[in-house]
């Protein structure tokens, strides 16, 4: 990923916030020289500096046989920025752009086929997302639910390298950044308002001393 230093972040809390807000990732592997892609919900497991992602495929998914190097893309909010919002540039030098937050998690993929591992993944996914849907389904360790596990293959991605990009106007004067925050905050989309919040937190964060 193209990652200018002004937009690079190494803050674990920012990555955790990104995964909490949108754990539906793009998982990419390569087999026989060709990319294989799945779009899939994951469960982040953090232990200090170590991070892993758990999830499962449908067994017929070709990626369910893959192990080894893999990339998970965590999609954060994104929003168009109009050049007309900048207060301190003459019209001739203004150009549009797109602000966004995204993470690339590089690591090693392991398959999980043990029934207990699969049950844990399904139970934990249900526990996490049912409440978001206003429902209360839960995994029960009985034969009916166990039989459903035969149709899936689990995985764990052991993350070894993190690229976290937060392109939030850091290359602009504060006046421009505040103007963009104000305009995005009034937009109708959740993404635009989320970008505004990320920008606000970035702008208010303590500056590193030279």
């Amino acid at each position: 990923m193209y990652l200018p230093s002004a937009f690079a972040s190494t803050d674990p809390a920012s990555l955790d916030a990104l995964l909490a807000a949108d754990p539906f990732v793009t998982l990419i592997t390569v087999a026989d020289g060709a990319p294989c892609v799945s779009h899939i919900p994951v469960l982040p497991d953090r232990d200090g500096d170590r991070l892993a992602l758990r999830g499962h495929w449908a067994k017929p998914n070709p990626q369910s046989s893959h192990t080894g190097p893999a990339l998970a893309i965590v999609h954060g909010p994104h929003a168009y920025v109009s050049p007309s919002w900048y207060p301190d540039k003459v019209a001739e030098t203004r150009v549009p752009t797109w602000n966004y937050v995204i993470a690339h998690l590089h690591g090693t993929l392991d398959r999980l086929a043990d029934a207990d591992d699969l049950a844990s993944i399904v139970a934990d996914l249900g526990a996490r997302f049912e409440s978001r849907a206003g429902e209360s389904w839960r995994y029960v360790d009985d034969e009916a639910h166990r039989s459903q596990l035969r149709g899936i293959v689990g995985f764990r991605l052991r993350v070894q390298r993190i690229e976290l990009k937060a392109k939030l106007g850091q290359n602009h004067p504060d006046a421009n950044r505040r103007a963009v925050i104000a305009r995005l905050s009034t937009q109708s989309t959740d993404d635009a308002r989320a970008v505004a919040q990320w920008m606000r937190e970035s702008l208010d964060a303590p500056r590193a001393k030279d």
Side-chain angles (χ1 to χ4, degrees):
M1 175 167 59
Y2 174 55
L3 188 55
S5 59
F7 306 142
S9 173
T10 58
D11 179 21
S14 293
L15 176 58
D16 291 347
L18 202 64
L19 279 164
D22 191 353
F24 193 74
V25 308
T26 300
L27 182 64
I28 304 170
T29 55
V30 176
D32 300 323
C36 186
V37 181
S38 294
H39 304 281
I40 203 159
V42 294
L43 295 157
D45 295 327
R46 181 176 288 283
D47 182 9
D49 292 336
R50 290 181 294 181
L51 176 66
L53 306 179
R54 286 183 300 141
H56 68 79
W57 302 282
K59 188 170 287 187
N61 185 334
Q63 198 177 58
S64 69
S65 65
H66 292 188
T67 58
L71 166 66
I73 301 176
V74 186
H75 302 275
H78 57 92
Y80 175 77
V81 176
S82 170
S84 63
W85 298 345
Y86 300 138
D88 71 334
K89 286 189 174 184
V90 297
E92 290 76 10
T93 63
R94 294 173 178 169
V95 293
T97 191
W98 210 276
N99 282 4
Y100 58 91
V101 185
I102 198 163
H104 287 190
L105 308 182
H106 303 261
T108 300
L109 193 64
D110 302 317
R111 296 174 76 247
L112 302 175
D114 181 81
D116 289 339
D117 287 331
L118 298 177
S120 176
I121 292 169
V122 173
D124 290 348
L125 284 168
R128 177 165 185 183
F129 296 113
E130 275 291 302
S131 60
R132 290 189 180 188
E135 300 296 341
S136 58
W137 178 90
R138 63 186 181 90
Y139 177 83
V140 178
D141 193 28
D142 58 17
E143 180 54 35
H145 278 171
R146 284 256 167 180
S147 68
Q148 298 297 314
L149 301 179
R150 301 183 190 116
I152 63 175
V153 176
F155 67 82
R156 177 184 292 109
L157 176 66
R158 293 178 282 120
V159 178
Q160 293 154 337
R161 182 164 63 92
I162 296 169
E163 297 176 301
L164 176 55
K165 185 174 185 177
K167 183 181 176 295
L168 302 170
Q170 298 95 323
N171 55 332
H172 279 267
D174 286 0
N176 283 1
R177 297 166 72 183
R178 294 190 189 283
V180 172
I181 290 169
R183 295 301 293 267
L184 289 178
S185 297
T186 67
Q187 300 294 304
S188 61
T189 66
D190 291 340
D191 266 5
R193 293 191 297 272
V195 169
Q197 182 59 30
W198 277 86
M199 291 184 67
R200 189 177 295 110
E201 293 173 2
S202 172
L203 188 59
D204 293 341
R207 308 291 177 89
K209 295 182 178 179
D210 295 333

